[in-house]
């Protein structure tokens, strides 16, 4: 049953596969790597260990691949490894793809019945001295922060009763607490959601169980000083949909359903949870939440409808950027009111991108800057050889949420930028004093380049050159040396 | 003093650098890998950890890089690592190139005075259960045959008194003895040559010390059942030449000098050594030697003059393929005669290549087949994008040394083949029953592909696809599973 890649899986595609495990010491650099950049930039994404069974499967089905760029004294080491999930190991043993289409077990080989099917390919999370690979369909996998070897599934000493764990937990920078949750917490297409508080030592101290009005891809969450808030939108699934065909992807967009915000006080319980009904807009990723008096203010990137071109719409309508493109918006929730709805402000309607980041030291706190890669259509050049057909992320922006102004850095025509993460210059630096780290897929040269951008001047200071194109990350995380120390 | 690569060191050049250490499990395959191919194909070559100090430095100065393709049950794993020589480690610590031009210490940074400067980048040698990286300017480095980690310099338990060790020792397949030697054995530009016999358990049992008429790049050797024979040709050096300028490469061709063959009986001593004078032809690589009555018959690839375009001619004349191109020739030496000279037969004058191989199980024994990659100029297509300017090795030939006939496999226009090694189908298979393994640099796709060719039919059966272009090997070695066992 050995399955092989065709030529289409190699070469310059954005979702190309590389499959190598190993590293490069003292990477080639153009420009200069600042010596105050001292720590590790972890990245998690997908790389296909074996090609998918179904040609229309989605990039999210690719096996988790954890990588890191380690910075010290102006030098950089790179390393990457597959997350050795049960799925990866079973496929490796078989020499081919045993698992069906994205999160539908109907197409699985009978030999893997009962085995976890997670690819653990979404976000690297660092908390209480541990590194985790996370994906919303399963529990985290603990990863050795130096070798990147997979230590195994992690259940917080048996305290994590949810079968799933969000890829976007949030850490309060003042208390060190991590807030997290699982949706489909008791099984596929279940409406159970379990919310967790985890103290700074990594111990689960609280669990709140709620019932969702329907199953939603609750991809992200936010915390303010007083509340946990989870966007809920009609990218949905049901047991019937999954059973109807092994070719049905897990998610579809049901335009008939309303949107919700789940709001739970940090010191509250299930009885205090509110499901606020609103328009079916999708806040795919949050930036931050703050509580100001009786207002809960939530910012993130929001699309009016289905954010994903590759998940179908129930009504058969095609995906378009007009309804699926996300922009940075502010949602203002009245905590005193018992009525539905919230106020939406579209802050930067001309720049569309779905992977916003901030200076994470300001989570829950007043803050000013959002960072977002997007396509500046006015500057698109002719397509490069080997470039994929969708428009490249050719611009990185810093968006001032107070003034409404933005500064941008145009990245040229040669490639497409992945999510850029913020790394502060040092622990005490003011908000936004530091660097943006983002990997550019340089299609023309068929290689990947890590850009180091001064986040105040919005100017590139250095670029780490890899000799090949690595698989695209989904999300990244910066661990300062003090948080994850290593030998230089 | 950090030095960086320019763009020219990345991309599609034959001598490109990749610098990654790691591997790919269950590599992508086109066609089928035969299940009787069970063992490890080791490769050694150079990959620049840091760019050279002098732009006209030669590929032979690149850091040793050992790699392997491991075959079992029709699947293939790839792995590669730098040889961690003292030079590599010193450069890594400094973050740049501390060493001067090819084998001239005059350009070294003072901090590395007294440190070995070998790159250990020529041939993987397997003997007595050990794997070595070898280069003629130093002792072997022992390599872990599974992890490819460098264990360190190897001196055969202190018995190797020569400071150097050939990259082309020969193993008698019947006795298991390894025959080796060092030239420049007592130091740079010395005329001391030490010859060794090493028993099947890896113990040095004999040393013979001789004086060379001048320093020659004695690159290869051969053994028959009765004699050791070492070609000696006027690619030479002197202490004065090396001291004259730090920009002088170690070797130059002195057209005024004669050639020699050093012939020593296997059971003889220094007093039995003969230096037979002849034309200054260079047998850069040997195939085999056999003793037939009073004749010693030696075959290999021979050029009429300087075989290397990048080492200078003393008289300033430019290198040309007419004098530097090598062809398979037979040299017949009369062991009964005391006079100089030998008979030269140019067996396949139309096919020029310098990296011949044979079925090594027939070293010292009557044999029939030589394998050689060469350029078929009549079939050269237009140059591929990213291809180097020298003509690609586009054809692999099997040359029947008895009949004078040859069978060839044309490899197309997309790349250039490195040395192809023979792997027998099994230990008892007749001569030539097995596979040729050779890595093709596919410039068009910017990747490397290992070709598996049926050595009898001279037809490709399978091809291992790597996602990137690995550094070119110099030489390779096949270790059947019985010789280097591993877990599948």
């Amino acid at each position: 049953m050995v399955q092989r890649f065709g030529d289409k899986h190699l070469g310059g595609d954005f979702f190309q596969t590389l499959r190598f495990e190993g590293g490069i010491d003292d990477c080639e650099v153009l420009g200069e790597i600042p010596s105050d950049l001292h720590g590790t930039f972890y990245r998690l994404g997908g790389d296909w260990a074996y090609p998918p069974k179904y040609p229309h499967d989605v990039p999210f089905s690719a096996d988790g691949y954890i990588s890191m760029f380690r910075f010290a004294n102006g030098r950089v080491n790179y390393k990457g490894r597959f997350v050795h999930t049960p799925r990866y190991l079973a496929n490796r043993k078989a020499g081919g793809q045993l698992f069906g289409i994205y999160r539908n077990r109907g197409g699985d080989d009978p030999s893997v019945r009962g085995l976890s099917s997670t690819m653990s390919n979404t976000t690297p999370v660092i908390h209480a001295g541990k590194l985790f690979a996370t994906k919303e369909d399963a529990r985290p996998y603990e990863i050795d922060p130096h070798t990147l070897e997979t230590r195994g599934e992690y259940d917080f000493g048996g305290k994590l009763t949810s079968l799933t764990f969000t890829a976007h937990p949030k850490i309060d920078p003042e208390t060190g607490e991590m807030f997290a949750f699982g949706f489909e917490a008791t099984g596929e297409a279940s409406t159970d959601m379990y919310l967790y508080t985890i103290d700074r030592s990594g111990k689960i101290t609280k669990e709140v169980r709620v019932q969702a009005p329907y199953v939603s891809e609750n991809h992200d969450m936010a915390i303010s000083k007083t509340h946990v808030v989870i966007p809920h939108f009609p990218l949905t699934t049901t047991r019937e949909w999954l059973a109807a065909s092994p070719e049905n992807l897990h998610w579809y967009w049901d335009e008939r359903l309303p949107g919700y915000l789940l709001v739970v006080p940090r010191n509250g319980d299930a009885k205090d949870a509110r499901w606020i009904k609103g328009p079916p807009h999708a806040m795919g990723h949050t930036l931050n939440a703050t509580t100001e008096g009786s207002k809960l203010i939530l910012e993130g990137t929001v699309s009016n409808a289905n954010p994903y071109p590759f998940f179908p719409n129930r009504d058969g309508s095609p995906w378009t950027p007009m309804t699926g493109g996300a922009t940075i918006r502010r949602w203002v929730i009245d905590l005193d009111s018992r009525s539905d709805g919230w106020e939406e402000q579209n802050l930067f309607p001309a720049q569309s991108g779905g992977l916003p980041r901030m200076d994470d030291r300001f989570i829950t706190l007043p803050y000013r800057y959002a960072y977002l890669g997007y396509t500046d259509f006015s500057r698109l050049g002719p397509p490069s050889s080997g470039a994929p057909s969708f428009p490249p992320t050719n611009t990185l922006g810093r968006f001032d949420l107070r003034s409404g102004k933005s500064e941008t850095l145009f990245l040229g025509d040669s490639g497409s930028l992945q999510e850029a993460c913020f790394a502060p210059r040092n622990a005490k630096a003011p908000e936004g004093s530091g660097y943006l780290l983002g990997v550019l897929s340089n299609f023309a040269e068929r290689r990947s380049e890590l850009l180091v951008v001064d986040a105040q001047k919005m100017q590139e200071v250095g670029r780490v050159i890899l000799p090949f194109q690595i698989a695209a990350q989904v999300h990244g995380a910066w661990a300062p040396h003090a948080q994850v120390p290593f030998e230089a």
Side-chain angles (χ1 to χ4, degrees), chain A:
Chain A
M1 79 142 290
V2 174
Q3 296 168 1
R4 299 300 177 188
F5 291 92
D7 268 1
K8 73 189 168 65
H9 284 278
L10 298 165
D13 194 88
F14 189 71
F15 297 114
Q16 82 152 29
T17 200
L18 185 65
R19 302 179 78 241
F20 105 91
E21 298 189 297
I24 297 171
D25 284 339
D26 204 2
C27 293
E28 184 174 1
V29 165
L30 303 180
E32 288 292 329
I33 301 299
S35 57
D36 57 0
L37 198 57
H38 192 202
T40 309
F41 176 44
Y42 291 105
R43 298 166 69 249
L44 185 60
D47 193 315
W48 297 96
Y50 293 95
K53 271 193 178 182
Y54 298 89
H56 68 293
D57 204 351
V58 300
F60 296 171
S61 276
D63 295 275
Y65 193 89
I66 180 111
S67 62
M68 66 180 180
F69 290 88
R70 208 150 239 197
F71 297 79
N73 307 313
R75 295 208 223 170
V76 190
N77 292 347
Y78 172 78
K79 192 181 282 178
R81 292 205 69 168
F82 279 108
V83 181
H84 287 216
T85 58
R87 174 187 180 122
Y88 171 84
L89 295 171
N91 282 346
R92 277 277 295 123
K93 195 169 171 196
Q97 184 61 258
L98 297 169
F99 293 80
I101 210 163
Y102 188 65
R103 297 196 58 205
N104 185 337
R105 307 295 307 254
D108 287 0
D109 187 88
S111 67
V112 296
R113 199 163 288 153
L115 201 69
S116 166
S117 66
T118 189
M119 317 80 178
S120 203
N121 64 9
T122 313
T123 314
V125 170
I126 305 132
H127 186 246
K130 288 188 161 60
L131 171 65
F132 302 105
T134 63
K135 184 178 179 77
E136 62 198 17
D137 69 346
R139 291 170 175 163
Y141 278 76
E142 190 186 352
I143 305 290
D144 183 296
H146 309 296
T147 67
L148 303 185
E149 281 169 46
T150 303
R151 292 180 176 159
E153 191 190 73
Y154 193 76
D155 68 359
F156 294 85
K159 296 282 190 189
L160 182 69
T161 52
S162 173
L163 300 175
T164 61
F165 190 90
T166 178
H168 289 291
K170 292 290 177 289
I171 296 166
D172 185 316
E174 294 183 319
T175 68
E177 290 167 296
M178 180 161 75
F179 295 83
F181 72 103
F183 65 87
E184 296 177 286
T186 57
E188 197 176 80
S190 77
T191 50
D192 294 300
M193 291 174 71
Y194 293 1
L195 283 64
Y196 293 94
T197 308
I198 301 156
D199 73 13
R200 64 186 316 140
S201 75
K203 201 175 129 196
I204 289 181
T205 54
K206 185 176 170 184
E207 181 187 81
V208 174
R209 299 185 173 191
V210 300
Q211 277 293 323
Y214 59 83
V215 182
S216 166
E217 197 237 349
N218 303 104
H219 182 66
D220 205 341
M221 66 185 298
I223 54 172
S224 75
K225 276 289 165 224
T226 57
H227 287 79
V228 173
V229 54
I230 302 176
H232 192 89
F233 45 83
L235 192 66
T236 192
T237 195
T238 63
R239 292 192 181 93
E240 295 69 32
W241 163 258
L242 294 171
S245 165
E247 301 210 9
N248 279 352
L249 294 157
H250 192 79
W251 299 116
Y252 63 92
W253 183 266
D254 188 339
E255 82 291 349
R256 302 168 303 184
L257 297 170
Y260 289 92
L261 274 174
L262 170 60
V263 178
V264 185
R266 277 167 61 161
N267 63 4
D269 213 328
K271 66 178 183 329
D272 307 308
R274 275 183 69 196
W275 286 95
I276 306 176
K277 195 190 287 190
H281 290 185
M283 185 179 281
H285 287 112
T286 68
L287 279 159
N288 200 8
T290 48
T291 304
E292 295 179 22
S294 64
K295 300 278 198 259
L296 178 63
I297 299 169
L298 172 66
E299 278 129 357
T301 47
V302 178
S303 56
N304 287 347
N306 185 359
Y308 298 107
F310 41 74
F311 290 126
N313 290 327
R314 188 206 63 90
D315 63 6
S317 62
W319 185 91
T320 79
M322 279 88 81
T323 56
T327 53
I328 297 173
R329 305 187 198 180
R330 178 178 294 142
W331 288 356
V332 181
I333 300 112
D334 186 345
L335 292 168
D336 288 344
S337 165
R338 289 282 99 189
S339 26
D340 278 331
W342 56 83
E343 179 195 341
E344 178 177 291
Q345 302 165 8
N346 202 342
L347 303 179
F348 298 93
Q351 288 92 4
S352 173
L355 296 163
R357 293 299 295 258
M358 60 173 288
D359 182 340
D360 285 345
R361 297 173 303 157
F362 290 80
I363 285 177
T364 72
L365 301 171
Y367 76 117
R368 185 164 179 178
Y369 298 117
Y371 307 100
L372 180 70
Y374 65 96
T375 304
D376 184 339
F377 287 88
S378 72
R379 301 183 76 165
L380 273 185
S384 322
S385 150
S389 49
F390 60 84
T393 298
N394 61 8
T395 307
L396 178 58
R398 181 186 67 172
F399 297 87
D400 185 331
L401 303 171
R402 285 194 211 158
S403 71
K405 292 184 179 159
S406 62
E407 303 281 335
T408 63
L409 175 65
F410 176 64
L411 304 169
D413 285 328
S414 61
S416 189
L417 185 71
Q418 296 155 36
E419 181 199 65
C421 293
F422 179 83
R425 206 175 291 281
N426 58 61
K428 294 190 196 302
E431 189 202 347
S433 172
Y435 306 97
L436 293 167
L437 306 174
V439 171
L440 182 86
S441 297
N442 183 332
F443 302 117
E445 296 288 340
R446 287 202 197 174
R447 67 188 190 201
S448 296
E449 304 175 0
L450 174 69
L451 271 58
V452 180
V453 173
D454 183 308
Q456 287 173 310
K457 297 179 183 159
M458 286 305 285
Q459 286 173 0
E460 178 177 332
V461 295
R463 196 179 277 230
V464 181
I465 305 292
L466 296 184
F468 38 59
Q469 192 183 325
I470 54 178
Q473 101 191 31
V474 180
H475 295 293
W478 171 254
H481 187 264
Q483 189 180 9
V484 180
F486 56 86
E487 285 178 46

